[in-house]
Amino acid sequence: MASTGNGLDYDKEQELKAFDDTKAGVNGLVDSGIQSVPKFFVAPSEETCNEKPDLRHAHFNAPIIDLRDIDKDGVRCEIVKEIGIGSSKWGFFQVVNHDIPQDIADEVIESIRRFNEQPNHVKEVNERSFDALC
């Protein structure tokens, strides 16, 4: 347990697990009418840096998932693993060589936006294992 500095014990790991178990994310906090930022989102001042990084020349490369050879032996499972890594480490990834027309892709993005704007009780998330897809 970590101390909050005021003598009270605070279990960050337990609070993070409870937050994760809701599967509602930050949107769920907002939807619940939260009035203050949860402690696990706040870094102690000694852990923060007052210098602002210069991101003008930074290069961030999202993981790129290439579906070109998905029908070849063993490639599908490798792609599934790459998607799992992109999802868990980055939270997103880019898919190339998917042969999906742009108007369909735009429609999918719009449906994702609509889904995420729904109340939590409507969009309960079911976890799936990437291993079950291979």
Side-chain angles (χ1 to χ4, degrees):
M1 251 187 242
S3 174
T4 60
N6 61 8
L8 300 175
D9 287 328
Y10 167 64
D11 190 339
K12 181 177 182 178
E13 186 174 321
Q14 182 179 354
E15 190 171 325
L16 277 169
K17 181 173 178 356
F19 171 74
D20 190 47
D21 287 348
T22 69
K23 305 291 185 215
V26 174
N27 253 357
L29 291 175
V30 173
D31 292 346
S32 73
I34 190 168
Q35 296 296 312
S36 62
V37 176
K39 290 179 186 176
F40 61 85
F41 280 121
V42 180
S45 59
E46 63 270 7
E47 292 179 17
T48 61
C49 177
N50 291 328
E51 291 182 33
K52 301 231 186 269
D54 182 0
L55 299 178
R56 290 176 293 178
H57 304 291
H59 297 283
F60 299 101
N61 295 318
I64 297 175
I65 310 299
D66 190 345
L67 301 183
R68 179 179 307 138
D69 298 324
I70 194 166
D71 293 327
K72 290 185 179 176
D73 287 340
V75 175
R76 183 175 189 265
C77 282
E78 189 59 37
I79 290 173
V80 169
K81 288 177 188 173
E82 290 174 7
I83 291 171
I85 292 168
S87 298
S88 62
K89 184 175 181 181
W90 286 79
F92 57 90
F93 49 86
Q94 179 182 359
V95 180
V96 296
N97 296 315
H98 50 69
D99 297 330
I100 299 172
Q102 189 60 48
D103 60 326
I104 302 293
D106 292 342
E107 188 177 319
V108 168
I109 290 170
E110 177 61 21
S111 67
I112 291 168
R113 185 194 58 75
R114 286 192 310 267
F115 171 80
N116 284 308
E117 289 179 351
Q118 296 180 95
N120 288 330
H121 70 277
V122 175
K123 61 178 182 177
E124 289 182 347
V125 178
N126 295 315
E127 288 187 38
R128 288 184 61 179
S129 170
F130 287 109
D131 296 334
L133 299 174
C134 290

